[in-house]
Amino acid sequence: MMTTTPFSGLRHALPILIGIALFGLGVYALYHLLRPVDAADVMAQVKGMPLPTLAGAILATAVAYTALIGYDVFALRFIGHNLPARVIALGGFLGYAFGNTIGISVVSGGAVRYRIYSAFGLNAFEVAAVSTYIAMALGTGLSLIGLVALSIYPGVVGDLLPLPATTVGVGAGGIAVAAIAAIAWISWSGRSLTFWKFDLRLPSPASLGGQLAVTLIDVAAAALTLWILMPQGTPPFFAFVAIYAIATMVGVASHVPGGVGVFETVVIGTLPASVPVGEAAAGLLLFRMIYYLLPFILGFALVSFNEARAFGGPVARWFGRGSTQMRPAVDALNEVAPSLVAMAVFGLGAYLLLVSMVPTIRGEALADGDFIAAVLLEGGTLVSAMSGAVLLILSHGLLRRVSGAFWMTIVVLVGGIVASLLNDMDYESAAVLLAGIALLFPFKAAFYRSARLTDGLFSPSWFAVTFGVALAAAAFFFFVHRAIPYSNDLWIQISHGANTPRALRAGLAASAVLLVFSVVVASRPVRRKSVDPLDPGIMDRVAQIVSQSDEPRGCLAFAGDKRFLFSDRGNAFVMYGVHGATWVTLGDPIGAKDEVADLCWSFIDQAERANCRPVFYEVGQDNMAIYVEMGLSLHKIGEEAVIDLRRFSLSGSSFKSMRAAFNKCKREGLAMEMLQPPHAPALLDELDNVSQAWLGGKSGRERGFSIGTFDASYLDRFPIAIIRRGDRVLAFANLMAPGTGKRVSIDLMRYLPDDATGLMDFLFLSLIEHFRDTGVEEFSLGVAPLSGLSERSLDRLWTRFGALIFRHGGAFYNFVGLRRYKQKFHPDWRACYIALPPGLSPTRAMSDVTLLIAGGPRGLIGK
């Protein structure tokens, strides 16, 4: 069993730690740049921005997002898919609206695209190819435009680089020309360029030209949005494009969500000294609101509107339920609702924290000695800060679809509205929170889990982002109140004009909420020492669910080596085994499809509550979106061979030799007999002799978990196919055919080694003909482990390692021979995956699974 070193955890946490460090440095640098600026002046600049200027910035943003949709068009064309224009527009806009705000567009935007595009036939890997194409196109285009602009206006980064402006211009121009020439040559020649570990293949020249036009419009319009909002003295537009491109690239490279703090620091640092920093800060703040926040709000409102239409009521009566063409896309968006709501609530929490740091201005007309007004204001500020902290916590429960978290969020938002009104009648904040409630309410059906808020582990990413918000709030406090010298008396001053003491106490209250919650989460029990025994009637519940399912794998629940977790309504279960600190399910949940997502979440919660790792082993593509949504990573581990009996025929040249061998076996007296349970003890004893002879020629003990074992009580539940020659049993196999029996899979296959020639071919062909004639639709030959894994260097280490074992691991298991044998029957190959939590390597997980199947290390080597 592989061991975990202290460095392995550090390796996975390193990107998060680097992101926190870069965010902190960005905030510090921005604070340093804004030190001479008065916060009140910045807010006055924001509120005093002329309406024509705001309208121009909004129009430029609309052009930029329209151009961004063009990336999706060319990406889909590149992989050979044509979708309706309205579907591409919806997927593209929502992908960028949500992805740009979060800052990890490939992940969040890709998740939204997967929901929409998969409803129109694209699989997960095709959507991943689209996201990768977009990321490459955006990065390459932004870099080239920045280099060209920098070659023309090299002086804009004179203070950032220790080089003469001429050298910067010539160098940027040379790199741009070389890169453009290389891209044009690769596109025109149709070749792929191998660079280090990557094979680069580009679209055709026509598509590349269209993509270039889209990139120019996109970058120019985005830069124009910011340029319009900047004050007098800002460099000319074409020079400013270089500033924008550099700032954007640095922000993306920092991995800070949205490049917050990093982007602003670069922009302000590259502006001429004559540009007022306060006015530049106001322009950057408005740019964030218009280019990032406004599209997110519009996208969230669009999803909320469609959610309201889908569930009927006044909205559906007034606007209808949408067009038939867009219905799959709208329905697919229902699954991303929890993530979007969690993001929105987290944002509202951050907003309330920042608002509590802002000095009150409306109440200055009131008498400073009005103690009642001061107490109400004090209470409103404290409640706002504490509500913001609670919303940050509740966002994690919303991400996990907890119904209690949703209704607590509504209550906290209502409390925030009351607090905003107490806070000098802050109508703007009250209106924002009220709009938040209105947009959140249509999503209430998406939160159905009855789990506790603290079920499961809070991810390091959540703590990192929450820490970032707290850091930003602290920096904002010091920026706003830096003119007030610190004194211990500040903590006890209560008056209407005591803005700094009030903000101090509000920050302390919010910090206390987060600290207490963190301590409670961190002090939970490490691991359960025991697992509750199975109740006597559990197998009856399992049998009832299996009998109503058409999934043959569900029959493996009767093997006696698994534990079970049932859904809340009891119509589905997941079967799993435990090896060390790893909980491994066998396949997808069995039972009602509408209870699968909740059951998967419950399994993760139970495993993490026991401080163990949840692993979903040999899952298919049907529930892939659920695993992705839960933050799990998918790794291919093999392929299942499935024969479509509705199309299968032994006629034709491809089956000529097998058909001849099959007929020869018949002439030699071989015959198959299908026996239904219950089976006679004498028969099972005879089959046991066959099984023992078969095991005698195999290395290692009998396996379990993923296949059945020879056990009389287990086999007595299934039909058994027997191959006889006269009265002698030569081979047998038990068949799993639950529910309607439309899907059948073979389980145990045992034969006498001395009579092995042609037996398996005869058995399989006999079963195929039998089930085809009885109306069965699909017959599974089982999984070929590690089949279908690529050996290209571009793929993940696990994929390359698995492919290496597949080709050269014959000393341990004949992977290649097994796949080659099953391929003789011309099956459809369906990919199987293992779904893992972040930070767990596939190699480590597969070692645990292997030991679980083998029954421990001795099972790998002993007979």
Side-chain angles (χ1 to χ4, degrees):
M1 181 174 175
M2 298 178 64
T3 58
T4 301
T5 66
F7 296 102
S8 61
L10 179 61
R11 177 169 56 85
H12 297 297
L14 190 59
I16 297 176
L17 296 175
I18 292 175
I20 294 176
L22 290 174
F23 178 72
L25 291 174
V27 170
Y28 174 78
L30 189 61
Y31 175 81
H32 179 75
L33 289 172
L34 297 179
R35 177 170 293 179
V37 177
D38 188 354
D41 292 340
V42 174
M43 297 308 299
Q45 290 285 341
V46 171
K47 294 182 178 180
M49 189 68 67
L51 289 179
T53 301
L54 294 176
I58 293 174
L59 180 61
T61 298
V63 173
Y65 274 79
T66 302
L68 284 172
I69 297 173
Y71 288 106
D72 285 68
V73 174
F74 286 102
L76 289 167
R77 182 182 300 175
F78 183 69
I79 65 172
H81 280 275
N82 293 316
L83 299 182
R86 296 174 65 184
V87 174
I88 300 176
L90 179 65
F93 172 71
L94 293 182
Y96 296 112
F98 300 142
N100 287 348
T101 303
I102 299 173
I104 312 175
S105 184
V106 176
V107 178
S108 58
V112 173
R113 288 186 183 90
Y114 175 75
R115 289 295 185 181
I116 296 175
Y117 293 161
S118 64
F120 290 85
L122 272 70
N123 60 41
F125 297 101
E126 289 171 330
V127 178
V130 170
S131 297
T132 303
Y133 179 99
I134 292 170
M136 294 293 292
L138 275 168
T140 304
L142 190 65
S143 301
L144 290 177
I145 292 174
L147 287 169
V148 172
L150 192 59
S151 66
I152 301 174
Y153 298 96
V156 296
V157 294
D159 295 335
L160 297 181
L161 298 176
L163 296 172
T166 304
T167 303
V168 172
V170 172
I175 295 173
V177 169
I180 293 173
I183 291 173
W185 177 79
I186 295 173
S187 177
W188 278 100
S189 65
R191 300 180 180 180
S192 62
L193 178 64
T194 300
F195 178 72
W196 192 35
K197 295 182 178 181
F198 300 94
D199 291 328
L200 181 62
R201 184 172 64 89
L202 294 180
S204 64
S207 295
L208 193 62
Q211 182 65 72
L212 177 61
V214 167
T215 304
L216 288 171
I217 297 172
D218 162 39
V219 176
L224 181 62
T225 302
L226 179 57
W227 187 75
I228 290 174
L229 298 169
M230 297 303 285
Q232 293 290 330
T234 300
F237 173 68
F238 290 104
F240 187 77
V241 170
I243 296 176
Y244 174 83
I246 293 171
T248 302
M249 287 188 292
V250 174
V252 171
S254 70
H255 293 288
V256 174
V260 176
V262 180
F263 176 85
E264 286 80 3
T265 300
V266 176
V267 171
I268 293 178
T270 53
L271 290 176
S274 58
V275 177
V277 177
E279 296 182 18
L284 285 164
L285 179 59
L286 282 171
F287 174 73
R288 285 285 182 186
M289 296 172 66
I290 293 174
Y291 191 80
Y292 291 96
L293 189 58
L294 181 59
F296 179 86
I297 294 173
L298 291 176
F300 189 79
L302 177 62
V303 178
S304 177
F305 173 73
N306 285 322
E307 193 80 7
R309 288 201 305 180
F311 288 96
V315 176
R317 290 195 299 270
W318 295 337
F319 299 97
R321 294 182 178 270
S323 66
T324 303
Q325 183 189 53
M326 295 297 294
R327 175 54 50 193
V330 173
D331 292 342
L333 287 174
N334 296 338
E335 296 300 327
V336 302
S339 300
L340 297 180
V341 171
M343 289 161 47
V345 170
F346 193 94
L348 289 173
Y351 171 78
L352 284 177
L353 282 177
L354 294 177
V355 164
S356 65
M357 302 292 107
V358 178
T360 58
I361 54 177
R362 293 181 181 81
E364 291 178 356
L366 300 175
D368 192 53
D370 190 344
F371 184 75
I372 295 179
V375 170
L376 291 177
L377 179 59
E378 184 79 22
T381 305
L382 285 173
V383 172
S384 292
M386 296 176 68
S387 297
V390 172
L391 288 178
L392 297 183
I393 297 171
L394 289 174
S395 65
H396 187 273
L398 294 171
L399 190 64
R400 305 173 77 87
R401 298 172 178 264
V402 179
S403 60
F406 178 81
W407 294 110
M408 287 177 63
T409 297
I410 299 298
V411 171
V412 171
L413 288 175
V414 171
I417 293 174
V418 175
S420 298
L421 296 177
L422 291 176
N423 193 0
D424 270 359
M425 301 302 289
D426 186 0
Y427 295 111
E428 289 90 346
S429 296
V432 169
L433 299 180
L434 183 61
I437 294 176
L439 291 177
L440 292 179
F441 215 77
F443 296 106
K444 61 181 182 296
F447 302 92
Y448 50 81
R449 299 188 60 219
S450 57
R452 294 180 302 175
L453 177 62
T454 57
D455 277 353
L457 296 178
F458 280 67
S459 66
S461 299
W462 181 87
F463 280 107
V465 176
T466 303
F467 176 79
V469 170
L471 180 64
F476 185 68
F477 167 81
F478 286 112
F479 173 66
V480 172
H481 300 278
R482 65 184 183 281
I484 306 297
Y486 176 79
S487 170
N488 290 331
D489 295 336
L490 291 174
W491 293 98
I492 58 175
Q493 290 182 16
I494 299 179
S495 65
H496 198 280
N499 290 314
T500 301
R502 187 160 43 251
L504 273 174
R505 289 186 288 267
L508 178 64
S511 301
V513 170
L514 291 175
L515 178 62
V516 170
F517 181 78
S518 300
V519 170
V520 169
V521 171
S523 60
R524 287 181 300 177
V526 174
R527 180 181 295 181
R528 293 178 174 178
K529 297 298 182 182
S530 61
V531 179
D532 295 333
L534 303 180
D535 62 82
I538 195 169
M539 294 313 299
D540 293 334
R541 298 173 62 190
V542 169
Q544 181 180 4
I545 295 173
V546 171
S547 67
Q548 298 172 356
S549 170
D550 285 330
E551 175 52 57
R553 192 191 301 268
C555 296
L556 291 172
F558 303 118
D561 57 356
K562 299 173 185 66
R563 306 178 188 185
F564 302 94
L565 180 67
F566 292 87
S567 61
D568 291 340
R569 287 182 285 177
N571 299 319
F573 70 86
V574 62
M575 49 184 165
Y576 67 98
V578 176
H579 179 79
T582 303
W583 288 19
V584 183
T585 74
L586 179 59
D588 298 292
I590 306 297
K593 299 300 182 184
D594 58 343
E595 300 181 26
V596 167
D598 186 28
L599 185 54
C600 290
W601 277 113
S602 297
F603 177 76
I604 290 179
D605 290 343
Q606 293 287 345
E608 291 181 340
R609 194 181 302 161
N611 198 33
C612 292
R613 300 179 291 264
V615 171
F616 293 83
Y617 174 66
E618 278 194 3
V619 297
Q621 296 192 24
D622 292 345
N623 299 313
M624 184 178 290
I626 295 176
Y627 302 125
V628 172
E629 181 183 338
M630 293 189 298
L632 305 179
S633 59
L634 290 160
H635 305 265
K636 190 175 181 180
I637 58 172
E639 294 174 309
E640 181 183 10
V642 180
I643 300 175
D644 187 345
L645 298 181
R646 294 165 295 185
R647 297 186 287 108
F648 183 84
S649 174
L650 271 177
S651 61
S653 58
S654 58
F655 287 102
K656 182 178 179 180
S657 59
M658 291 183 66
R659 188 168 59 247
F662 180 69
N663 292 329
K664 179 183 177 182
C665 289
K666 281 187 173 181
R667 291 194 300 269
E668 292 176 351
L670 292 184
M672 187 195 78
E673 183 181 1
M674 185 68 69
L675 302 178
Q676 299 297 326
H679 303 292
L683 172 67
L684 293 175
D685 289 341
E686 188 175 4
L687 298 184
D688 188 23
N689 294 331
V690 176
S691 178
Q692 292 299 326
W694 183 86
L695 287 171
K698 304 294 178 181
S699 63
R701 298 183 298 182
E702 188 168 14
R703 275 31 173 182
F705 188 67
S706 62
I707 57 174
T709 57
F710 191 96
D711 179 78
S713 60
Y714 173 72
L715 292 178
D716 209 31
R717 292 178 175 271
F718 305 103
I720 297 179
I722 296 176
I723 303 297
R724 294 181 185 269
R725 179 181 285 122
D727 294 333
R728 187 185 181 203
V729 176
L730 303 181
F732 73 90
N734 68 300
L735 287 309
M736 301 183 295
T740 62
K742 295 295 184 182
R743 300 176 61 194
V744 177
S745 179
I746 198 165
D747 183 19
L748 291 181
M749 296 175 291
R750 304 287 163 88
Y751 56 85
L752 295 175
D754 295 337
D755 299 276
T757 305
L759 269 180
M760 286 297 98
D761 287 356
F762 182 79
L763 173 62
F764 277 122
L765 291 176
S766 298
L767 288 173
I768 289 171
E769 285 196 333
H770 170 80
F771 287 120
R772 182 193 60 194
D773 295 340
T774 56
V776 174
E777 296 177 358
E778 292 183 353
F779 180 66
S780 174
L781 303 178
V783 174
L786 305 182
S787 170
L789 275 64
S790 172
E791 294 183 86
R792 293 178 301 169
S793 59
L794 184 60
D795 294 308
R796 296 171 177 170
L797 177 62
W798 154 250
T799 305
R800 289 148 49 197
F801 179 67
L804 181 67
I805 296 177
F806 177 77
R807 299 184 70 87
H808 305 291
F812 305 98
Y813 192 88
N814 190 6
F815 298 104
V816 175
L818 179 62
R819 198 209 194 265
R820 186 180 298 126
Y821 177 80
K822 294 180 179 182
Q823 180 60 37
K824 295 196 305 183
F825 299 92
H826 302 286
D828 297 327
W829 291 100
R830 299 178 182 176
C832 297
Y833 303 90
I834 186 170
L836 308 176
L840 179 60
S841 72
T843 307
R844 171 65 185 272
M846 285 301 297
S847 69
D848 288 339
V849 172
T850 301
L851 291 170
L852 181 63
I853 293 173
R858 292 184 58 189
L860 294 175
I861 57 177
K863 285 193 175 183

